[in-house]
Amino acid sequence: MLVLITYDVSTVSSGGKKRLRKVAKECQNYGQRVQNSVFECNLDASQFAALKFKLADIIDKNQDSLRFYQLGKNYKTKVEHIGIKESIDLDSPIIF
């Protein structure tokens, strides 16, 4: 299923900047960045649960926030893109 993950991490302290980098890195391990604090991740249920647990463990729940949008398997009809930075089709083969 496609999951859209958004986050807002307070960066007023050095600890916040470190949390921001950790959240971004963890999201990159599972998907692609489509905006500064937005990732598209194609996950199965166990991957989603693991990622959610890891991210919740990184953030400071009193200062930061995470949002998860589960778009399901038929997400291609639910996502529309206009402008630069076209996203990669996560289901197609990637050729280097």
Side-chain angles (χ1 to χ4, degrees), residues 7-45:
Y7 54 89
D8 189 16
V9 177
S10 174
T11 58
V12 294
S13 69
S14 60
K17 292 174 185 174
K18 186 176 180 179
R19 289 192 312 275
L20 178 65
R21 285 190 302 274
K22 284 183 175 183
V23 168
K25 184 174 181 182
E26 199 60 51
C27 288
Q28 279 183 314
N29 290 336
Y30 287 87
Q32 67 176 328
R33 183 188 300 262
V34 293
Q35 296 287 327
N36 284 338
S37 296
V38 181
F39 280 81
E40 289 178 350
C41 302
N42 204 351
L43 309 167
D44 62 32

Side-chain angles (χ1 to χ4, degrees), residues 38-77:
V38 181
F39 280 81
E40 289 178 350
C41 302
N42 204 351
L43 309 167
D44 62 32
S46 63
Q47 290 172 318
F48 179 48
L51 179 57
K52 212 161 55 164
F53 180 78
K54 288 176 186 176
L55 294 176
D57 195 44
I58 294 170
I59 68 163
D60 179 337
K61 293 173 185 69
N62 295 315
Q63 298 182 51
D64 310 329
S65 68
L66 291 166
R67 294 181 70 91
F68 302 93
Y69 299 88
Q70 298 178 53
L71 299 176
K73 292 182 182 180
N74 297 320
Y75 62 88
K76 291 185 181 186
T77 61

Side-chain angles (χ1 to χ4, degrees), residues 65-96:
S65 68
L66 291 166
R67 294 181 70 91
F68 302 93
Y69 299 88
Q70 298 178 53
L71 299 176
K73 292 182 182 180
N74 297 320
Y75 62 88
K76 291 185 181 186
T77 61
K78 299 175 185 173
V79 177
E80 184 177 345
H81 175 87
I82 299 172
I84 64 169
K85 201 173 179 183
E86 192 80 30
S87 60
I88 299 168
D89 182 0
L90 298 172
D91 291 330
S92 67
I94 298 175
I95 300 171
F96 294 97

